[in-house]
Coordinates of all heavy atoms in Angstrom, one line a residue:
P1 N -42.6 -86.8 77.5 CA -43.1 -86.6 76.2 C -42.2 -85.7 75.4 O -41.5 -84.8 76.0 CB -44.5 -85.9 76.4 CG -44.4 -85.3 77.7 CD -43.5 -86.2 78.5
I2 N -42.2 -85.8 74.1 CA -41.3 -85.0 73.2 C -42.2 -83.8 72.8 O -43.3 -84.0 72.3 CB -40.9 -85.8 72.0 CG1 -40.0 -87.0 72.5 CG2 -40.1 -84.9 71.0 CD1 -39.6 -87.9 71.4
T3 N -41.7 -82.6 72.9 CA -42.5 -81.4 72.5 C -41.6 -80.5 71.7 O -40.4 -80.7 71.7 CB -43.0 -80.7 73.7 OG1 -41.8 -80.2 74.5 CG2 -43.9 -81.5 74.6
G4 N -42.2 -79.5 71.1 CA -41.4 -78.5 70.4 C -42.1 -77.9 69.2 O -42.9 -78.6 68.6
I5 N -42.0 -76.6 69.0 CA -42.6 -75.9 67.9 C -41.5 -75.1 67.3 O -40.8 -74.4 68.0 CB -43.8 -75.1 68.3 CG1 -44.9 -75.9 68.9 CG2 -44.3 -74.3 67.2 CD1 -46.0 -75.1 69.5
I6 N -41.5 -75.0 66.0 CA -40.5 -74.2 65.3 C -41.1 -73.7 64.0 O -42.0 -74.3 63.4 CB -39.2 -74.9 65.0 CG1 -38.1 -73.9 64.5 CG2 -39.4 -76.0 63.9 CD1 -36.8 -74.5 64.5
K7 N -40.8 -72.5 63.6 CA -41.2 -71.9 62.4 C -40.0 -71.9 61.4 O -39.0 -71.3 61.8 CB -41.8 -70.5 62.6 CG -43.0 -70.5 63.4 CD -43.6 -69.1 63.6 CE -44.8 -69.1 64.4 NZ -45.4 -67.8 64.6
I8 N -40.2 -72.4 60.3 CA -39.1 -72.4 59.2 C -39.7 -71.9 57.9 O -41.0 -72.0 57.8 CB -38.4 -73.7 59.1 CG1 -39.3 -74.7 58.4 CG2 -37.8 -74.2 60.3 CD1 -38.6 -75.9 57.9
P9 N -39.0 -71.5 57.0 CA -39.5 -71.2 55.7 C -40.3 -72.4 55.1 O -39.8 -73.5 55.2 CB -38.3 -70.8 54.8 CG -37.2 -70.5 55.8 CD -37.5 -71.4 57.0
S10 N -41.4 -72.2 54.5 CA -42.2 -73.2 53.9 C -41.7 -73.6 52.5 O -41.9 -74.6 52.0 CB -43.7 -72.9 53.9 OG -43.9 -71.7 53.2
I11 N -40.9 -72.6 52.0 CA -40.4 -72.8 50.6 C -38.9 -72.8 50.7 O -38.3 -71.9 51.2 CB -40.9 -71.8 49.6 CG1 -42.4 -71.8 49.5 CG2 -40.2 -71.9 48.3 CD1 -43.0 -70.7 48.7
V12 N -38.2 -73.9 50.2 CA -36.8 -73.9 50.2 C -36.3 -74.1 48.7 O -36.6 -75.2 48.1 CB -36.3 -75.1 51.0 CG1 -34.8 -75.2 51.0 CG2 -36.8 -75.0 52.4
P13 N -35.7 -73.1 48.1 CA -35.1 -73.3 46.8 C -34.1 -74.4 46.8 O -33.3 -74.5 47.7 CB -34.5 -71.9 46.5 CG -35.3 -71.0 47.3 CD -35.5 -71.8 48.6
R14 N -34.0 -75.2 45.7 CA -33.1 -76.3 45.6 C -31.7 -76.0 45.9 O -30.9 -76.7 46.5 CB -33.2 -76.9 44.2 CG -32.3 -78.0 43.9 CD -32.5 -78.6 42.6 NE -33.9 -78.9 42.2 CZ -34.7 -79.8 42.8 NH1 -34.2 -80.6 43.7 NH2 -35.9 -80.0 42.4
N15 N -31.2 -74.8 45.5 CA -29.8 -74.4 45.6 C -29.5 -73.6 46.9 O -28.4 -73.1 47.0 CB -29.3 -73.7 44.4 CG -30.1 -72.4 44.1 OD1 -31.1 -72.1 44.8 ND2 -29.6 -71.6 43.2
Q16 N -30.4 -73.5 47.8 CA -30.2 -72.7 49.0 C -30.3 -73.6 50.2 O -31.2 -74.5 50.2 CB -31.1 -71.5 49.1 CG -30.9 -70.5 48.0 CD -31.8 -69.3 48.2 OE1 -32.5 -69.1 49.2 NE2 -31.8 -68.5 47.2
P17 N -29.6 -73.4 51.3 CA -29.6 -74.2 52.5 C -30.9 -74.0 53.3 O -31.4 -72.9 53.3 CB -28.4 -73.9 53.3 CG -28.0 -72.5 52.8 CD -28.5 -72.4 51.4
L18 N -31.3 -75.1 53.9 CA -32.4 -75.0 54.9 C -31.8 -74.4 56.2 O -30.9 -75.0 56.7 CB -33.0 -76.4 55.1 CG -34.0 -76.5 56.3 CD1 -35.3 -75.7 56.0 CD2 -34.3 -78.0 56.5
M19 N -32.3 -73.3 56.6 CA -31.8 -72.7 57.8 C -32.9 -72.6 58.9 O -34.0 -72.1 58.6 CB -31.3 -71.3 57.5 CG -30.2 -71.2 56.5 SD -28.7 -72.0 57.0 CE -28.1 -71.0 58.2
I20 N -32.7 -73.2 60.0 CA -33.7 -73.3 61.1 C -33.3 -72.3 62.2 O -32.3 -72.4 62.8 CB -33.8 -74.7 61.7 CG1 -34.2 -75.7 60.5 CG2 -34.8 -74.7 62.8 CD1 -34.3 -77.1 61.0
K21 N -34.1 -71.2 62.3 CA -33.8 -70.2 63.4 C -34.0 -70.8 64.8 O -35.0 -71.6 65.0 CB -34.8 -69.0 63.2 CG -34.5 -68.2 62.0 CD -35.4 -67.0 61.8 CE -35.1 -66.3 60.6 NZ -35.9 -65.1 60.4
G22 N -33.1 -70.5 65.6 CA -33.3 -71.0 67.0 C -32.8 -72.4 67.2 O -33.0 -73.0 68.3
L23 N -32.1 -73.0 66.2 CA -31.6 -74.3 66.3 C -30.6 -74.4 67.5 O -29.6 -73.6 67.5 CB -30.9 -74.8 65.0 CG -30.4 -76.2 65.0 CD1 -31.5 -77.2 65.0 CD2 -29.6 -76.4 63.7
P24 N -30.8 -75.3 68.4 CA -29.9 -75.3 69.6 C -28.5 -75.8 69.1 O -28.3 -76.5 68.1 CB -30.5 -76.3 70.5 CG -31.4 -77.2 69.6 CD -31.8 -76.3 68.5
D25 N -27.5 -75.4 69.9 CA -26.1 -75.7 69.5 C -25.8 -77.1 70.2 O -24.9 -77.2 71.0 CB -25.2 -74.7 70.1 CG -23.8 -74.6 69.3 OD1 -23.7 -75.3 68.3 OD2 -22.9 -74.0 69.8
T26 N -26.6 -78.1 69.8 CA -26.4 -79.5 70.3 C -26.4 -80.4 69.2 O -26.7 -80.0 68.1 CB -27.5 -79.8 71.4 OG1 -28.8 -79.8 70.7 CG2 -27.5 -78.9 72.5
Q27 N -26.3 -81.7 69.5 CA -26.4 -82.7 68.4 C -27.8 -82.8 68.0 O -28.7 -83.0 68.9 CB -25.8 -84.0 68.9 CG -25.9 -85.1 67.8 CD -25.2 -86.4 68.3 OE1 -24.4 -86.4 69.2 NE2 -25.4 -87.4 67.5
N28 N -28.1 -82.8 66.8 CA -29.5 -82.8 66.2 C -29.6 -84.0 65.2 O -28.6 -84.2 64.5 CB -29.8 -81.5 65.5 CG -29.5 -80.3 66.4 OD1 -30.2 -80.1 67.3 ND2 -28.5 -79.6 66.1
S29 N -30.7 -84.6 65.1 CA -31.0 -85.5 64.1 C -32.1 -85.0 63.2 O -33.2 -84.6 63.7 CB -31.4 -86.9 64.7 OG -30.4 -87.5 65.4
L30 N -31.9 -85.0 61.9 CA -32.9 -84.4 61.0 C -33.4 -85.6 60.1 O -32.6 -86.3 59.5 CB -32.3 -83.4 60.1 CG -33.2 -82.8 59.0 CD1 -34.3 -82.0 59.6 CD2 -32.4 -82.0 58.0
Y31 N -34.7 -85.7 60.0 CA -35.4 -86.7 59.1 C -36.3 -85.9 58.2 O -37.1 -85.1 58.6 CB -36.3 -87.7 59.9 CG -35.5 -88.5 60.9 CD1 -35.3 -88.0 62.2 CD2 -35.1 -89.7 60.7 CE1 -34.7 -88.7 63.2 CE2 -34.4 -90.5 61.6 CZ -34.2 -90.0 62.9 OH -33.6 -90.7 63.8
I32 N -36.2 -86.2 56.9 CA -37.1 -85.6 55.9 C -37.8 -86.8 55.2 O -37.1 -87.7 54.7 CB -36.3 -84.7 54.9 CG1 -35.7 -83.5 55.7 CG2 -37.3 -84.2 53.8 CD1 -35.0 -82.5 54.9
T33 N -39.1 -86.7 55.1 CA -39.8 -87.8 54.5 C -40.6 -87.2 53.3 O -41.0 -86.0 53.3 CB -40.8 -88.5 55.5 OG1 -41.7 -87.5 56.0 CG2 -40.1 -89.1 56.6
D34 N -40.9 -88.1 52.3 CA -41.8 -87.7 51.2 C -43.2 -87.8 51.6 O -43.5 -88.2 52.8 CB -41.4 -88.4 49.9 CG -41.7 -89.9 50.0 OD1 -42.4 -90.4 51.0 OD2 -41.2 -90.7 49.2
I35 N -44.2 -87.5 50.7 CA -45.6 -87.6 51.1 C -46.1 -89.0 51.4 O -47.1 -89.1 52.0 CB -46.4 -86.9 50.0 CG1 -46.3 -87.6 48.7 CG2 -46.1 -85.4 49.9 CD1 -47.2 -87.1 47.6
R36 N -45.3 -90.0 51.0 CA -45.7 -91.4 51.4 C -45.2 -91.8 52.7 O -45.4 -92.9 53.2 CB -45.2 -92.3 50.3 CG -45.8 -92.1 48.9 CD -45.1 -92.9 47.8 NE -43.8 -92.3 47.7 CZ -42.8 -93.0 47.2 NH1 -42.9 -94.1 46.7 NH2 -41.6 -92.4 47.1
G37 N -44.4 -90.9 53.4 CA -43.8 -91.3 54.7 C -42.4 -92.0 54.6 O -41.9 -92.4 55.6
V38 N -41.8 -92.1 53.4 CA -40.6 -92.7 53.2 C -39.4 -91.7 53.5 O -39.4 -90.5 53.0 CB -40.4 -93.1 51.7 CG1 -39.0 -93.7 51.5 CG2 -41.4 -94.2 51.4
V39 N -38.5 -92.1 54.4 CA -37.4 -91.2 54.8 C -36.5 -91.0 53.6 O -35.9 -92.0 53.1 CB -36.6 -91.7 56.0 CG1 -35.4 -90.9 56.3 CG2 -37.5 -91.8 57.2
V40 N -36.3 -89.8 53.1 CA -35.4 -89.6 51.9 C -34.1 -88.9 52.4 O -33.2 -88.9 51.6 CB -36.2 -88.7 50.9 CG1 -37.3 -89.5 50.3 CG2 -36.7 -87.4 51.4
V41 N -34.1 -88.3 53.6 CA -32.9 -87.7 54.1 C -32.8 -88.0 55.6 O -33.8 -87.9 56.3 CB -32.9 -86.2 53.9 CG1 -31.7 -85.5 54.6 CG2 -32.9 -85.8 52.4
Y42 N -31.6 -88.5 56.0 CA -31.4 -88.6 57.5 C -30.0 -88.0 57.7 O -29.1 -88.4 57.1 CB -31.4 -90.1 57.9 CG -30.9 -90.3 59.3 CD1 -31.6 -89.8 60.4 CD2 -29.8 -91.0 59.5 CE1 -31.1 -90.0 61.6 CE2 -29.3 -91.2 60.8 CZ -30.0 -90.7 61.8 OH -29.5 -90.8 63.1
A43 N -30.0 -87.1 58.6 CA -28.7 -86.4 59.0 C -28.6 -86.6 60.5 O -29.3 -86.0 61.3 CB -28.7 -85.0 58.6
K44 N -27.6 -87.5 60.9 CA -27.5 -87.8 62.4 C -26.9 -86.6 63.1 O -27.3 -86.4 64.3 CB -26.5 -89.0 62.5 CG -26.4 -89.4 63.9 CD -25.6 -90.7 64.0 CE -25.6 -91.2 65.5 NZ -24.8 -92.4 65.6
Q45 N -26.0 -85.8 62.6 CA -25.5 -84.6 63.3 C -25.8 -83.4 62.4 O -24.9 -82.8 61.9 CB -24.0 -84.8 63.5 CG -23.7 -86.0 64.4 CD -22.2 -86.2 64.7 OE1 -21.4 -85.5 64.1 NE2 -21.9 -87.1 65.5
Y46 N -27.0 -83.1 62.4 CA -27.5 -82.0 61.5 C -27.0 -80.6 62.1 O -27.1 -80.4 63.3 CB -29.0 -82.0 61.4 CG -29.5 -80.8 60.6 CD1 -29.4 -80.7 59.3 CD2 -30.1 -79.7 61.3 CE1 -29.8 -79.6 58.5 CE2 -30.6 -78.6 60.6 CZ -30.4 -78.6 59.2 OH -30.9 -77.5 58.5
A47 N -26.5 -79.8 61.2 CA -26.2 -78.4 61.5 C -26.9 -77.6 60.4 O -27.1 -78.1 59.3 CB -24.7 -78.1 61.5
N48 N -27.3 -76.4 60.7 CA -27.9 -75.6 59.7 C -27.1 -75.6 58.4 O -25.9 -75.4 58.5 CB -28.1 -74.1 60.2 CG -29.5 -73.9 60.9 OD1 -30.4 -74.7 60.6 ND2 -29.5 -73.0 61.7
G49 N -27.8 -75.7 57.3 CA -27.0 -75.7 56.0 C -27.3 -76.8 55.1 O -26.7 -76.9 54.0
W50 N -28.3 -77.7 55.4 CA -28.6 -78.8 54.5 C -29.2 -78.2 53.2 O -30.0 -77.3 53.2 CB -29.6 -79.7 55.1 CG -30.1 -80.8 54.1 CD1 -29.4 -81.9 53.7 CD2 -31.4 -80.8 53.5 NE1 -30.2 -82.6 52.8 CE2 -31.4 -81.9 52.7 CE3 -32.5 -79.9 53.5 CZ2 -32.5 -82.2 51.8 CZ3 -33.6 -80.2 52.7 CH2 -33.6 -81.4 51.9
I51 N -28.7 -78.7 52.0 CA -29.2 -78.2 50.7 C -29.9 -79.3 50.1 O -29.4 -80.4 50.0 CB -28.0 -77.7 49.9 CG1 -27.3 -76.5 50.5 CG2 -28.4 -77.4 48.5 CD1 -26.1 -76.1 49.8
P52 N -31.1 -79.1 49.6 CA -32.0 -80.1 49.0 C -31.3 -80.9 47.8 O -31.6 -82.1 47.7 CB -33.2 -79.4 48.5 CG -33.3 -78.2 49.3 CD -31.9 -77.8 49.7
G53 N -30.4 -80.3 47.1 CA -29.7 -81.0 46.1 C -30.5 -81.7 45.0 O -31.3 -81.0 44.4
N54 N -30.5 -83.0 45.0 CA -31.2 -83.7 43.9 C -32.6 -84.3 44.2 O -33.1 -85.0 43.5 CB -30.3 -84.9 43.4 CG -30.1 -86.0 44.4 OD1 -30.4 -85.8 45.6 ND2 -29.4 -87.0 44.1
L55 N -33.2 -83.8 45.4 CA -34.5 -84.2 45.7 C -35.4 -83.6 44.7 O -35.2 -82.4 44.3 CB -34.9 -83.8 47.1 CG -34.4 -84.6 48.2 CD1 -34.9 -84.0 49.6 CD2 -34.8 -86.0 48.1
A56 N -36.5 -84.3 44.3 CA -37.5 -83.7 43.3 C -38.2 -82.6 44.0 O -38.4 -82.5 45.2 CB -38.4 -84.8 42.9
S57 N -38.6 -81.6 43.2 CA -39.5 -80.5 43.7 C -40.7 -81.1 44.3 O -41.2 -82.1 43.8 CB -39.8 -79.6 42.5 OG -38.6 -79.0 42.0
G58 N -41.2 -80.5 45.3 CA -42.5 -80.9 45.9 C -42.5 -80.8 47.4 O -41.6 -80.2 48.0
M59 N -43.6 -81.4 48.0 CA -43.8 -81.3 49.4 C -43.1 -82.4 50.2 O -43.1 -83.5 49.8 CB -45.3 -81.3 49.7 CG -45.6 -81.2 51.2 SD -45.3 -79.5 51.9 CE -46.5 -78.6 51.0
Y60 N -42.4 -82.0 51.3 CA -41.8 -82.9 52.2 C -42.1 -82.6 53.6 O -42.6 -81.4 53.9 CB -40.2 -82.9 52.0 CG -39.8 -83.4 50.6 CD1 -39.8 -82.5 49.5 CD2 -39.5 -84.7 50.4 CE1 -39.4 -83.0 48.3 CE2 -39.1 -85.2 49.2 CZ -39.1 -84.3 48.1 OH -38.7 -84.8 46.9
F61 N -41.9 -83.5 54.5 CA -42.1 -83.2 55.9 C -40.8 -83.4 56.6 O -40.0 -84.3 56.3 CB -43.2 -84.2 56.4 CG -44.4 -84.1 55.7 CD1 -44.7 -84.9 54.6 CD2 -45.4 -83.2 56.1 CE1 -45.9 -84.8 53.9 CE2 -46.6 -83.1 55.4 CZ -46.8 -83.9 54.3
Y62 N -40.5 -82.6 57.7 CA -39.3 -82.8 58.4 C -39.6 -83.0 59.9 O -40.6 -82.7 60.4 CB -38.4 -81.5 58.3 CG -38.9 -80.3 59.1 CD1 -38.5 -80.2 60.4 CD2 -39.8 -79.4 58.6 CE1 -39.0 -79.1 61.2 CE2 -40.3 -78.4 59.3 CZ -39.9 -78.2 60.6 OH -40.4 -77.2 61.3
Q63 N -38.6 -83.7 60.5 CA -38.6 -83.9 62.0 C -37.2 -83.7 62.4 O -36.3 -84.3 61.9 CB -39.1 -85.3 62.3 CG -39.0 -85.5 63.8 CD -39.6 -86.8 64.2 OE1 -40.8 -86.9 64.4 NE2 -38.8 -87.9 64.3
L64 N -37.0 -82.8 63.4 CA -35.7 -82.5 64.0 C -35.8 -82.9 65.4 O -36.7 -82.5 66.2 CB -35.4 -81.0 63.8 CG -34.1 -80.6 64.4 CD1 -32.9 -81.1 63.5 CD2 -34.0 -79.1 64.5
V65 N -34.9 -83.8 65.8 CA -34.9 -84.3 67.2 C -33.6 -83.9 67.9 O -32.5 -84.0 67.3 CB -35.0 -85.9 67.2 CG1 -35.0 -86.4 68.6 CG2 -36.3 -86.3 66.5
Y66 N -33.7 -83.3 69.1 CA -32.5 -82.9 69.8 C -32.8 -82.8 71.3 O -33.9 -83.0 71.7 CB -32.1 -81.5 69.3 CG -33.1 -80.4 69.7 CD1 -32.9 -79.6 70.8 CD2 -34.3 -80.2 69.0 CE1 -33.8 -78.6 71.2 CE2 -35.2 -79.2 69.3 CZ -35.0 -78.4 70.5 OH -35.9 -77.5 70.8
R67 N -31.7 -82.6 72.1 CA -31.9 -82.5 73.5 C -31.6 -81.0 73.8 O -30.7 -80.4 73.4 CB -30.9 -83.3 74.3 CG -31.2 -84.8 74.2 CD -30.6 -85.6 75.2 NE -30.9 -87.0 75.1 CZ -32.0 -87.6 75.5 NH1 -32.9 -86.9 76.3 NH2 -32.2 -88.9 75.3
D68 N -32.5 -80.4 74.6 CA -32.4 -79.0 75.0 C -31.3 -78.9 76.0 O -30.7 -79.8 76.5 CB -33.7 -78.4 75.4 CG -34.3 -79.0 76.7 OD1 -33.5 -79.7 77.4 OD2 -35.5 -78.8 76.9
H69 N -31.0 -77.6 76.5 CA -30.0 -77.4 77.5 C -30.2 -78.1 78.8 O -29.3 -78.2 79.6 CB -29.8 -75.9 77.6 CG -30.9 -75.2 78.3 ND1 -32.1 -74.9 77.6 CD2 -31.1 -74.8 79.5 CE1 -32.9 -74.3 78.4 NE2 -32.4 -74.2 79.5
K70 N -31.4 -78.5 79.1 CA -31.7 -79.3 80.3 C -31.6 -80.8 80.1 O -31.9 -81.6 81.0 CB -33.1 -78.9 80.8 CG -33.2 -77.4 81.3 CD -34.6 -77.2 81.8 CE -34.7 -75.7 82.2 NZ -36.0 -75.4 82.7
G71 N -31.3 -81.2 78.9 CA -31.2 -82.6 78.5 C -32.5 -83.2 78.2 O -32.6 -84.4 77.9
K72 N -33.6 -82.4 78.0 CA -34.9 -83.0 77.7 C -35.0 -83.2 76.2 O -34.6 -82.3 75.4 CB -36.0 -82.0 78.1 CG -37.4 -82.5 77.9 CD -38.4 -81.5 78.5 CE -39.8 -81.9 78.3 NZ -40.8 -80.9 78.8
L73 N -35.5 -84.3 75.8 CA -35.6 -84.6 74.3 C -36.8 -83.7 73.7 O -37.8 -83.6 74.3 CB -36.0 -86.1 74.1 CG -35.8 -86.6 72.7 CD1 -34.4 -86.5 72.3 CD2 -36.2 -88.1 72.7
Q74 N -36.4 -83.1 72.6 CA -37.4 -82.2 71.9 C -37.5 -82.6 70.5 O -36.6 -83.2 69.9 CB -36.8 -80.7 72.0 CG -36.6 -80.1 73.3 CD -37.9 -79.8 74.0 OE1 -38.9 -79.4 73.4 NE2 -37.9 -80.0 75.3
R75 N -38.7 -82.3 69.9 CA -38.9 -82.6 68.5 C -39.6 -81.4 67.9 O -40.5 -80.8 68.4 CB -39.8 -83.8 68.4 CG -40.2 -84.1 67.0 CD -41.1 -85.3 66.9 NE -42.3 -85.0 67.6 CZ -43.2 -86.0 67.8 NH1 -43.1 -87.2 67.4 NH2 -44.3 -85.6 68.4
M76 N -39.1 -81.1 66.7 CA -39.7 -80.0 65.9 C -40.1 -80.6 64.6 O -39.4 -81.4 64.0 CB -38.7 -78.9 65.6 CG -38.1 -78.3 66.8 SD -36.7 -77.2 66.4 CE -36.1 -76.7 68.0
T77 N -41.3 -80.3 64.1 CA -41.8 -80.9 62.9 C -42.5 -79.8 62.0 O -42.8 -78.8 62.5 CB -42.9 -82.0 63.2 OG1 -44.0 -81.4 63.9 CG2 -42.3 -83.1 64.0
G78 N -42.6 -80.1 60.7 CA -43.3 -79.2 59.8 C -43.2 -79.7 58.4 O -42.8 -80.8 58.1
K79 N -43.5 -78.8 57.5 CA -43.6 -79.1 56.0 C -42.5 -78.2 55.3 O -42.3 -77.1 55.7 CB -44.9 -78.7 55.4 CG -46.0 -79.6 56.0 CD -47.4 -79.1 55.4 CE -48.5 -79.8 56.1 NZ -49.8 -79.3 55.7
I80 N -42.0 -78.8 54.3 CA -41.0 -78.0 53.4 C -41.4 -78.2 52.0 O -41.7 -79.3 51.6 CB -39.6 -78.6 53.6 CG1 -39.1 -78.5 55.0 CG2 -38.6 -77.9 52.7 CD1 -37.8 -79.3 55.2
F81 N -41.5 -77.2 51.2 CA -41.8 -77.3 49.8 C -40.5 -76.9 49.1 O -40.1 -75.7 49.1 CB -43.0 -76.3 49.4 CG -43.4 -76.5 48.0 CD1 -44.2 -77.7 47.7 CD2 -43.0 -75.7 47.0 CE1 -44.6 -77.9 46.4 CE2 -43.4 -75.9 45.7 CZ -44.2 -77.0 45.4
I82 N -40.0 -77.8 48.4 CA -38.8 -77.6 47.6 C -39.1 -77.2 46.2 O -39.9 -77.8 45.5 CB -37.9 -78.9 47.6 CG1 -37.5 -79.3 49.0 CG2 -36.7 -78.7 46.7 CD1 -36.7 -80.6 49.1
T83 N -38.4 -76.1 45.8 CA -38.7 -75.6 44.4 C -37.4 -75.6 43.6 O -36.3 -75.7 44.2 CB -39.2 -74.1 44.5 OG1 -38.1 -73.3 45.1 CG2 -40.4 -74.0 45.3
D84 N -37.5 -75.5 42.3 CA -36.4 -75.5 41.4 C -35.8 -74.1 41.3 O -36.4 -73.1 41.6 CB -36.7 -75.9 40.0 CG -36.9 -77.5 40.0 OD1 -36.1 -78.1 40.7 OD2 -37.7 -78.0 39.2

């Protein structure tokens, strides 16, 4: 099973990067969906520093998928509120 819990800021200003504390130094996949479940951002090799850019202000959901140092698949999920 895929497990994982992470705490990230719930508010991300449009011009500042999303920084995830404790992000492992491995290949990560980041998916961000809108409230309808439509994927609006997909980053195959995510590293801390994604900037919301031209996404509309509002609530989004993220899922970060990665392999831990033991090779076990992990998933971190949560909500992001993008502000202007």
Side-chain angles (χ1 to χ4, degrees):
I2 300 173
T3 60
I5 297 174
I6 191 167
K7 294 181 180 179
I8 68 163
S10 58
I11 298 175
V12 179
R14 175 177 316 289
N15 61 351
Q16 293 184 11
L18 170 64
M19 301 297 290
I20 300 175
K21 292 182 181 181
L23 181 68
D25 203 13
T26 61
Q27 184 172 345
N28 308 288
S29 295
L30 176 70
Y31 300 85
I32 297 180
T33 59
D34 63 16
I35 59 172
R36 297 170 294 161
V38 175
V39 175
V40 294
V41 173
Y42 169 65
K44 186 174 182 180
Q45 296 181 356
Y46 176 73
N48 270 336
W50 173 76
I51 297 176
N54 63 353
L55 284 181
S57 297
M59 182 66 68
Y60 294 86
F61 303 91
Y62 74 89
Q63 175 174 275
L64 181 70
V65 179
Y66 69 97
R67 292 199 180 275
D68 65 15
H69 65 282
K70 295 181 180 179
K72 186 176 177 184
L73 196 60
Q74 300 287 325
R75 177 180 60 187
M76 302 173 187
T77 60
K79 298 175 186 176
I80 302 168
F81 188 77
I82 296 174
T83 62
D84 283 326

